[in-house]
Amino acid sequence: MAFNPQARSSLTDVDEFAEWQAATKKPASLHLQGGEVCRGWSFGADKSVSGEVVFSTGMIGYPESLTDPSFAGQILVFTYPLIGNYGVPSLDEKDECG
């Protein structure tokens, strides 16, 4: 049996996500000291910043990295290509460490 998208009673979840994604997608650029410019998408605070660019190559732990005080004053770049595909944990979700 083939998938029939019209068989669903509502596509509002998909429509709402597309609207949210379009509303929150902010173009950004990273200007390096050597003159190179890298363009992409930003999230979080909508302001201009400067700092040391550091790379995180990990496959897991990215939500924790975003709030890790050791990255203060640095521009954190995630290199794993699938980050965000599964979202981030809710604020109410806790593990054994709290």
Side-chain angles (χ1 to χ4, degrees):
M1 178 182 230
F3 173 72
N4 179 0
Q6 303 306 325
R8 276 186 74 177
S9 61
S10 170
L11 294 176
T12 57
D13 289 344
V14 174
D15 295 340
E16 288 175 9
F17 177 75
E19 290 173 19
W20 172 84
Q21 189 177 34
T24 59
K25 202 170 194 181
K26 295 182 276 188
S29 59
L30 176 64
H31 298 257
L32 302 176
Q33 191 173 14
E36 300 91 348
V37 177
C38 303
R39 300 190 189 287
W41 303 104
S42 176
F43 66 94
D46 191 15
K47 64 180 189 174
S48 180
V49 297
S50 63
E52 175 187 23
V53 177
V54 295
F55 295 90
S56 174
T57 60
M59 295 170 58
I60 59 172
Y62 57 91
E64 294 82 4
S65 298
L66 291 170
T67 58
D68 187 335
S70 69
F71 290 116
Q74 297 176 323
I75 300 170
L76 183 57
V77 177
F78 297 108
T79 61
Y80 190 66
L82 299 179
I83 286 180
N85 283 2
Y86 300 100
V88 295
S90 79
L91 294 174
D92 298 329
E93 204 170 311
K94 304 288 184 206
D95 62 10
E96 64 276 359
C97 298

